[in-house]
Amino acid sequence: MLGEDAAIFADQRRTTRLLWPSTLAHRNLGKEGIWGGEGSGGIKENVQEEEQVSEGQHVSMLCPPLTYAKRSLITFLPLFAVPLPSYAFAFTKPGERLDPRADVFSNRPWPGTHGGKTATAILMKQDDSGKWEVLSIGEQAVLAVSNMRPTDRKKHFFVRHFKMQLYEPATNSQLMIEDSHSSIKLKAVDVIGGLLGHIKGASLKQVRLATRATINEDDVLWVVTVPAIWREGAKKLMREAAETGGLIRSGNSASLLFALEPEAASMWCLTNSQLAAEKGNTIVVADCGGGTIDVTVHTIVDASEITVKEAVPCGGGDFGSHEINKQFFKLMNDVVGRLAISEFEKKHPAVWVELENAWEKAKCTFTGSENTAVTLPSEIARHFERNCADYNKMHSGNFVIEDDRLYIQPADMMKLFAPAIQTTVAHIRDTLAKSREASAVLLVGNFANSAILQAEFRKAFETPKCKVVVPSQPGDCVMKGAVLLGNAPQSVTERISRFAFGTDFCPRFDPKVHSIRHKKIIEGKEYAANQASWFVEYGEKVPFGKIVSQTFFPIRSGQNSVVFNVFEGRAAGITYLTEMERNVRKLGILSSAEAKPSLIKQGVKFSMLFGFSEIRVLAETADGRITSATLNYD
């Protein structure tokens, strides 16, 4: 039961522990564990201690495997990094760091491409049993759709650039992804799971063929990259998708880690000598992709071991290079007419895909000084030509249509680029203002290949004391760096929490402390409802492997489980937790497995691990039995 009964604990006790990186680097913590979601926190009167954690069951369950010698006969165990929809891999050496030049390999070119990256696209069709199966991904999927007859297209599910839908704050496992052409809706878990499963099959096949080795899938560590600005609900969805795709056997498996994309890029460039590593230096990492811009600021802690800590909370937004696409298709709508464009897209989906591809090629090759030509479908070209003169007059444009080709002059092309680039530069400038003087701004991601973006970054940020660094193959830095982070996640020694995470609970009512509006009478006793209990505070510096444990005691008789509301706080000093409070958002419900009421009465200890790329939680009853704790997002 929720509402008044959601936080039914009169007292709590708190301990804070640190799992030191030096300890982690030399321990085998096992391949399976119970961990996941976010949780609840403490109050001022909590007892708080910090200690180095020794071997213990609950610690092993919270932590990922940081050495992988599960079987003594295995010398090298495979590690795969998967930034959708590509991958890199390495064979880890227990107790040793990876050599980025010798140990890290990327995938062979996908069909229809000349490199390891391919389009974020998937084509699916329902089989005779009603199950949706993956036909192709990436450029193969795009090509297949462009060659389909309109009647066949309606029977298929095709989407591209769908990662952006996981950016929404309220993302959870029920998220649906729609194919706008066929009007088919599928669960995001199934779509992304299908894509991950396809990549799994391709990656394992490549490694087996190249090495002639027998690979036990239970020995594989999968590292999936995610934007640093994604919320925990999106990561939970990705875990479920990985289970659907067959990468892991359960959503709580420790065989799956997440790597935050700008962190992965930072690790790759520092380790691979593409960026000078000097202790105390601060670097700004701008991961500029198609959908999002991810920005993190790292201070180098150890230049020889290459460890860093977060100097400013990571940030960013949904203003990647797809924003330029929006500007181009807005131009189409403005000149041709929104209704005409919409009807054409629905009637000719294959031709529409060809237009999207033609624009993508033009955008990616534009350097700033040359005219750009985009071939338009004949029907669209006629509409455009009819209205072009009026549009040019009203907007000071110089667009020309000849032989169904739209010619765009450099000045007009720059106007299409301007919103995305201006927003990105402004965000980096704001980030720099919050940090100590940076020695470098690192520009990575596929959008970093743009000569326009590179020029604007150098113009805005290059100084004698700060270099703008664009590594060779900036689009591969995240993919390869994720392998390094998977092998040594403790390389990021400290992060800064972007939000407070906690729960509401009910201490005994004290009129000197609590507002009368929060007073509740439960089983004849007075309690203060909706009191904030934070596990981690907004803006708190969180060292790698920090475990916060709190023991809660029930105030209702006969309870056999624990159920909480879980909240996210976007400011400091929040004391009450309801959905009506400012800067507070309810994330979901945290619950423990059922146990005997007599055990619940003695208290349930929730332990949460912070400082990794995701927040993990488990519950422990008074008899020491570890039970799973589940966080379901609203």
Side-chain angles (χ1 to χ4, degrees), residues 557-612:
S557 57
Q559 289 182 223
N560 62 357
S561 66
V562 176
V563 181
F564 285 114
N565 289 316
V566 178
F567 294 88
E568 173 186 274
R570 296 184 291 277
I574 298 172
T575 56
Y576 301 113
L577 288 179
T578 70
E579 294 182 80
M580 302 299 294
E581 297 293 333
R582 186 180 178 186
N583 292 320
V584 170
R585 189 174 72 88
K586 181 170 173 275
L587 293 178
I589 304 299
L590 176 66
S591 59
S592 71
E594 291 188 359
K596 294 179 179 179
S598 59
L599 287 174
I600 296 292
K601 186 177 181 180
Q602 297 176 58
V604 177
K605 180 167 73 173
F606 281 87
S607 295
M608 299 196 183
L609 177 64
F610 297 94
F612 281 88

Side-chain angles (χ1 to χ4, degrees), residues 274 441-444 448-449 454 457-458 468-474:
Q274 297 201 40
V441 175
L442 179 63
L443 181 58
V444 298
N449 286 298
Q454 292 179 19
F457 261 59
R458 289 194 169 97
V468 172
V469 179
V470 184
S472 59
Q473 298 179 316

Side-chain angles (χ1 to χ4, degrees), residues 65 97 154 184 216 582 591:
R97 283 185 172 267
K154 294 178 181 179
I184 297 171
N216 185 341
R582 186 180 178 186
S591 59

Side-chain angles (χ1 to χ4, degrees), residues 7-80:
I8 42 181
F9 299 89
D11 191 16
Q12 59 180 168
R13 298 170 184 169
R14 168 173 172 159
T15 60
T16 301
R17 299 179 175 188
L18 295 179
L19 204 66
W20 298 106
S22 58
T23 307
L24 285 169
H26 299 95
R27 291 173 51 200
N28 177 11
L29 298 178
K31 291 288 288 186
E32 294 297 326
I34 301 175
W35 36 288
E38 306 148 344
S40 50
I43 54 176
K44 294 180 181 178
E45 298 174 350
N46 290 336
V47 177
Q48 181 168 322
E49 303 172 358
E50 292 199 1
E51 58 184 89
Q52 182 170 331
V53 175
S54 60
E55 292 286 350
Q57 183 185 12
H58 73 285
V59 175
S60 297
M61 285 180 158
L62 277 171
C63 298
L66 300 181
T67 59
Y68 306 112
K70 187 179 178 184
R71 296 177 177 83
S72 59
L73 296 179
I74 298 176
T75 306
F76 301 97
L77 296 179
L79 181 154
F80 288 89

